[in-house]
Amino acid sequence: MTEEVRAEMVANVWKVVVGEGDAVAAGDALVILDSMKMEIPVISEDGGTVARIAVSEGDVVQDGDLIAVVEPVAAG
């Protein structure tokens, strides 16, 4: 199932770690957010291929904003 990774807080996008088309495993960091001088990695819950990165470094995200979309690896 396609995974939509969303922000869980208001924060600045400090670093985008992966790009569209990159393969990721469950637990891999997709982006790193900065909030109150703390770095918060946003991780993929499932493995797959990054289909979309919806943020850029320097963006401000709100709670619930889309950060990335991860497509599952096709079986077979």
Side-chain angles (χ1 to χ4, degrees):
M1 182 159 90
T2 299
E3 176 188 4
E4 290 187 347
V5 181
R6 297 191 174 270
E8 295 182 4
M9 66 182 69
V10 176
N12 295 311
V13 178
W14 179 68
K15 184 169 182 143
V16 176
V17 180
V18 297
E20 292 180 2
D22 287 355
V24 294
D28 283 355
L30 304 174
V31 303
I32 299 174
L33 301 179
D34 173 67
S35 180
M36 299 187 323
K37 298 187 181 183
M38 292 182 60
E39 293 177 11
I40 301 113
V42 177
I43 62 168
S44 177
E45 295 292 321
D46 302 308
T49 302
V50 178
R52 179 175 174 210
I53 295 290
V55 296
S56 298
E57 292 178 5
D59 287 353
V60 176
V61 293
Q62 304 292 319
D63 186 21
D65 284 356
L66 181 66
I67 291 178
V69 176
V70 178
E71 296 285 344
V73 175

